[in-house]
Amino acid sequence: MVSLFRLYKLNILKQATEAILSYPLRSFFCLFGISLGIVSITLIVASTDGANYKANQMLSDFGPDSMIIFGGHEQQRAARLRLNTITLQDMAAIKNSIDGCYETIPMIAMRNVLVSFENNKWQTLVIGSTQDYFTSWGWRIATGSAFTEKESFNYENVTVIGSDVAEKLFNGDNDKAIGKTILVKNKPVRVIGVLKERGTGFGSFRLDDRIIMPIDTVMRKYLKEDKYISAVRARFHGDLDQKIKDVKALLRIRHNLKGEMPDDFTIRTAEDAKKFLLVLQGTLVLFLGIAGGVALIVGGFVMANLFMISVQERRREIGIRRAFGAKRGHIILQFLLEAILLSLAGTFLGLILGYFAGLVLSLYTSIPIMFSYKIFWLASLTATIVGIVAGFVPAKKAAALDPVEAIRA
Amino acid sequence: MLPLIQLKDIKKSFFVGNRELPILRGINLELYKGDMLSIIGASGSGKTTLMNIIGLMDRASSGTYLLEGKDVSSLTDDELSSLRNQYIGFVFQQFHLIPYATALENVIVPTIYSDKPLKDVKQKAIKLLQELNMGNRINNKPTQLSGGEQQRVAIARALINDPEIILADEPTGALDSKTSHEIMDIFLELNRHGKTVVIITHDINIANMCKKIVKISDGIII
């Protein structure tokens, strides 16, 4: 058997390239079929990696040991009906009577609140919570500081603003923001800190577009509320699934829900968000898997057919090579090499197209995309296999030609 | 002295449907190192079939073929390929160059299938082309070359592996008479330097330039 090194030294790759280039239209069709398949593979791997990365990030951001309890039933939430059914007393009960509960944080949200500084205006999300909010959710303070228990207790008008809000109101100058008084729903509030940027959350939702204020201030001064809150974040030691059941049972009793009556609250964990993301990504993988598989099979068939024609047209060349000592194995190797080369060229094209398709996908959908070298190797391997499979029958046919007949053709 | 090639009672038949069509009907031939032999015959006389058998491209139906005293009849396809690579340098009437490859790339084709060391293969090919006055055309493709030039490239290709025998099938058949003479001069020059040359032709003028002439008619040597 001939060594690949020898073929390489004798520039057989250049010859194979020349052979491919002498039939441009034919080669283009092969190339195109293969590259479509590779685009699919690229997107499958990139979206799988992206989704896994994102899911794990969400899990660690959210906290794998935590749950969030919202007011309102699942279906009411889906209909954007936000009912406040959770009370501060519920929160205290969870903390006191559920075993292993080591942290509860109340949260209250006001959406689309107008905030302004001088002439800069912006609509944002206002969250009222305790000083523990920052550490519990893993928020870092970029400049300034968080508020304290005392400030909350005194209903002080202070806030820590997200980096998006700092950008809109203070053109991103954090130092300038500290100590300034902004208007939040027409009430003056002093900026005491700016959060470190966190980037996009789930989908295209910006985590950094929010301001945090003491929950007592928000409840009393904005909402005239002293009982109901939007949600509770609770963290537990021990089996989270069991804790979910315990919390559910406790809240049903406290809310007087009997028998078949539906819950008037919803419990979410990081697993739920992760599941949703993976289902979304799973649908994409299924679709692309089918499309990509079909593209590769069609590409392979087109390639096999075109190589059949090629073998027929290049019979004389095969005869000549045989006359000068090429064994059958050499002829097979030559045609396989050409098929693989063409496949790899298709892969290259497919990777470039796939990269741009991935960018488009991540811009216009909530599917996260992450490129890695793994894609390159996987695509190359797939292309090589397609090349070998598609090239094998024509190559065998070429090798089986009688040299005397072939050279006379 | 042991003949380079010895053919004993070589017969070859083809089958057309069920009918057996004898092409060679008992050829006896001895070829010695340094011979300049022409095989002359009309078309249909069996000379091309004989060339294919001598060139190890085809197998005889019966008879014995000894190459340097060794019987080749039981060799495998791969073994015959190796022997062709080592022993035979073909030159064809229609040149048979690979159309997409340059002159230089065409010349090195036989070295791809050889076990000989690769060192200086390119230099050797360039040197051969230069000796055949093709030094300034090494990067040209066959379509950019005249018939005579293509045949010079083909001769360089036949020589690159230093084969024992140059086997030329109507090497001047597609060339005008002036170019034919130039090509024949190359063969004569090669023979003067000790190369064994076999030329198959139907042209008596070409045959007469060779030291030995074997005439074949209706499948036998007369």
Side-chain angles (χ1 to χ4, degrees):
Chain A
M1 209 49 208
V2 71
S3 85
L4 281 172
F5 176 71
R6 187 174 191 94
L7 292 180
Y8 171 73
K9 282 291 275 188
L10 288 166
N11 250 343
I12 197 80
L13 280 180
K14 182 178 171 277
Q15 282 192 40
T17 313
E18 297 260 342
I20 289 167
L21 291 179
S22 5
Y23 305 97
L25 191 68
R26 183 182 305 174
S27 302
F28 174 77
F29 277 118
C30 290
L31 214 73
F32 200 67
I34 302 293
S35 66
L36 283 185
I38 296 303
V39 167
S40 303
I41 289 184
T42 307
L43 292 182
I44 289 174
V45 178
S47 70
T48 308
D49 285 358
N52 281 329
Y53 176 77
K54 196 84 184 190
N56 288 331
Q57 198 190 29
M58 278 167 62
L59 196 66
S60 75
D61 279 359
F62 194 92
D65 62 350
S66 66
M67 66 175 77
I68 188 158
I69 306 140
F70 299 98
H73 181 251
E74 188 89 41
Q75 266 118 44
Q76 294 165 326
R77 283 184 55 77
R80 300 261 162 193
L81 277 169
R82 295 178 193 274
L83 299 179
N84 288 342
T85 58
I86 307 290
T87 64
L88 286 168
Q89 288 73 32
D90 286 336
M91 184 177 89
I94 290 168
K95 176 105 185 232
N96 294 332
S97 51
I98 307 282
D99 219 25
C101 177
Y102 67 93
E103 182 184 84
T104 51
I105 296 164
M107 286 172 291
I108 193 152
M110 293 192 295
R111 275 155 233 281
N112 305 322
V113 174
L114 187 72
V115 294
S116 64
F117 177 74
E118 292 171 355
N119 291 325
N120 296 335
K121 291 186 170 67
W122 184 244
Q123 276 203 340
T124 190
L125 167 71
V126 176
I127 288 179
S129 192
T130 62
Q131 67 283 353
D132 294 331
Y133 177 86
F134 303 98
T135 46
S136 182
W137 286 103
W139 282 102
R140 301 248 170 88
I141 311 285
T143 317
S145 59
F147 46 79
T148 60
E149 203 171 350
K150 188 165 157 275
E151 283 165 321
S152 188
F153 187 74
N154 293 337
Y155 309 109
E156 283 188 33
N157 287 4
V158 291
T159 183
V160 177
I161 62 176
S163 62
D164 280 8
V165 180
E167 181 66 42
K168 295 294 175 189
L169 297 191
F170 299 98
N171 302 317
D173 186 346
N174 291 353
D175 292 328
K176 189 184 158 198
I178 303 300
K180 293 289 184 308
T181 301
I182 61 171
L183 291 177
V184 178
K185 233 182 185 178
N186 297 320
K187 287 187 171 66
V189 176
R190 190 161 47 88
V191 177
I192 58 166
V194 180
L195 295 173
K196 203 163 188 289
E197 190 182 341
R198 204 136 169 190
T200 10
F202 187 59
S204 53
F205 172 64
R206 291 284 301 180
L207 290 169
D208 300 303
D209 188 3
R210 65 178 61 195
I211 69 174
I212 322 298
M213 292 173 67
I215 189 164
D216 300 312
T217 312
V218 175
M219 285 178 78
R220 178 159 164 180
K221 291 190 172 168
Y222 285 90
L223 301 172
K224 316 274 184 275
E225 174 67 72
D226 55 10
K227 188 175 174 195
Y228 291 104
I229 54 177
S230 306
V232 173
R233 172 180 163 88
R235 302 174 87 178
F236 299 87
H237 297 300
D239 177 21
L240 196 61
D241 288 337
Q242 183 54 46
K243 302 302 171 196
I244 291 171
K245 285 179 197 147
D246 295 348
V247 170
K248 215 172 220 180
L250 176 72
L251 288 179
R252 283 186 72 85
I253 293 166
R254 288 186 56 87
H255 293 186
N256 279 320
L257 300 172
K258 297 193 179 69
E260 297 296 303
M261 284 170 74
D263 293 346
D264 63 353
F265 55 88
T266 307
I267 298 175
R268 284 282 163 76
T269 63
E271 287 297 328
D272 294 326
K274 194 174 162 183
K275 257 182 236 155
F276 181 68
L277 188 69
L278 293 178
V279 164
L280 193 71
Q281 183 264 345
T283 318
L284 181 79
V285 166
L286 186 70
F287 170 72
L288 287 174
I290 293 169
V294 169
L296 279 177
I297 289 169
V298 170
F301 264 105
V302 169
M303 192 150 145
N305 261 301
L306 296 181
F307 264 80
M308 275 304 204
I309 299 171
S310 187
V311 165
Q312 197 61 30
E313 281 183 5
R314 289 164 67 190
R315 291 175 69 182
R316 182 176 289 172
E317 176 193 334
I318 295 158
I320 294 165
R321 290 182 183 274
R322 296 279 277 136
F324 284 101
K327 295 171 184 168
R328 293 201 166 119
H330 290 124
I331 302 295
I332 291 180
L333 196 68
Q334 182 191 339
F335 278 89
L336 282 186
L337 213 65
E338 283 181 26
I340 292 169
L341 208 63
L342 203 53
S343 274
L344 288 178
T347 303
F348 190 66
L349 185 69
L351 285 173
I352 293 172
L353 291 177
Y355 177 73
F356 285 109
L359 287 186
V360 169
L361 208 62
S362 63
L363 273 178
Y364 294 105
T365 72
S366 55
I367 296 159
I369 294 287
M370 204 166 87
F371 295 102
S372 65
Y373 281 109
K374 190 169 77 185
I375 297 173
F376 177 80
W377 295 118
L378 194 71
S380 303
L381 183 73
T382 312
T384 308
I385 291 169
V386 169
I388 289 172
V389 170
F392 191 69
V393 173
K396 280 279 275 192
K397 197 183 167 221
L401 288 176
D402 175 9
V404 174
E405 293 293 322
I407 210 160
R408 227 185 269 153
Chain B
M1 179 173 151
L2 187 70
L4 194 56
I5 288 175
Q6 192 171 16
L7 303 182
K8 290 182 195 164
D9 197 26
I10 290 288
K11 290 181 182 162
K12 177 76 180 177
S13 304
F14 290 102
F15 285 88
V16 181
N18 285 329
R19 211 156 56 88
E20 190 179 351
L21 199 69
I23 303 294
L24 300 179
R25 302 190 295 165
I27 299 281
N28 291 292
L29 185 70
E30 284 176 353
L31 182 69
Y32 289 90
K33 209 170 161 56
D35 268 354
M36 175 94 187
L37 174 77
S38 78
I39 299 172
I40 187 167
S43 69
S45 59
K47 62 183 192 303
T48 298
T49 304
L50 181 58
M51 186 205 75
N52 285 335
I53 288 173
I54 293 174
L56 302 164
M57 291 273 276
D58 205 352
R59 293 167 196 269
S61 305
S62 69
T64 312
Y65 178 155
L66 301 176
L67 178 68
E68 288 186 328
K70 280 177 296 210
D71 192 349
V72 301
S73 57
S74 60
L75 296 180
T76 65
D77 193 82
D78 276 5
E79 286 166 332
L80 287 177
S81 296
S82 287
L83 288 182
R84 282 199 297 275
N85 185 256
Q86 265 178 280
Y87 282 88
I88 315 286
F90 287 98
V91 178
F92 300 98
Q93 181 177 5
Q94 298 298 334
F95 326 127
H96 286 349
L97 298 176
I98 293 170
Y100 56 78
T102 64
L104 181 62
E105 286 163 353
N106 266 290
V107 173
I108 64 171
V109 161
T111 66
I112 296 171
Y113 311 114
S114 157
D115 297 328
K116 285 186 195 159
L118 278 176
K119 220 171 145 254
D120 306 330
V121 156
K122 253 184 202 156
Q123 278 68 21
K124 189 177 174 189
I126 292 168
K127 195 163 158 265
L128 276 170
L129 284 167
Q130 281 166 347
E131 283 167 7
L132 291 163
N133 287 327
M134 290 292 293
N136 55 347
R137 314 302 301 269
I138 58 169
N139 290 320
N140 287 51
K141 300 232 167 127
T143 48
Q144 298 165 321
L145 301 174
S146 71
E149 288 173 327
Q150 288 189 56
Q151 199 60 302
R152 284 163 195 269
V153 174
I155 291 169
R157 177 177 61 183
L159 291 168
I160 188 85
N161 268 355
D162 294 317
E164 293 293 336
I165 306 150
I166 298 295
L167 198 52
D169 182 14
E170 302 273 14
T172 60
L175 304 172
D176 62 53
S177 61
K178 181 173 169 283
T179 317
S180 294
H181 272 96
E182 288 169 12
I183 295 297
M184 280 309 290
D185 285 343
I186 294 170
F187 286 123
L188 292 168
E189 180 70 19
L190 286 172
N191 182 246
R192 262 196 294 282
H193 285 87
K195 206 52 117 188
T196 313
V197 179
V198 178
I199 293 176
I200 286 103
T201 183
H202 67 281
D203 183 344
I204 188 68
N205 295 319
I206 297 292
N208 282 336
M209 294 181 185
C210 302
K211 284 186 232 164
K212 283 188 192 170
I213 302 179
V214 165
K215 196 171 178 191
I216 182 168
S217 177
D218 205 15
I220 49 170
I221 288 172
I222 52 173

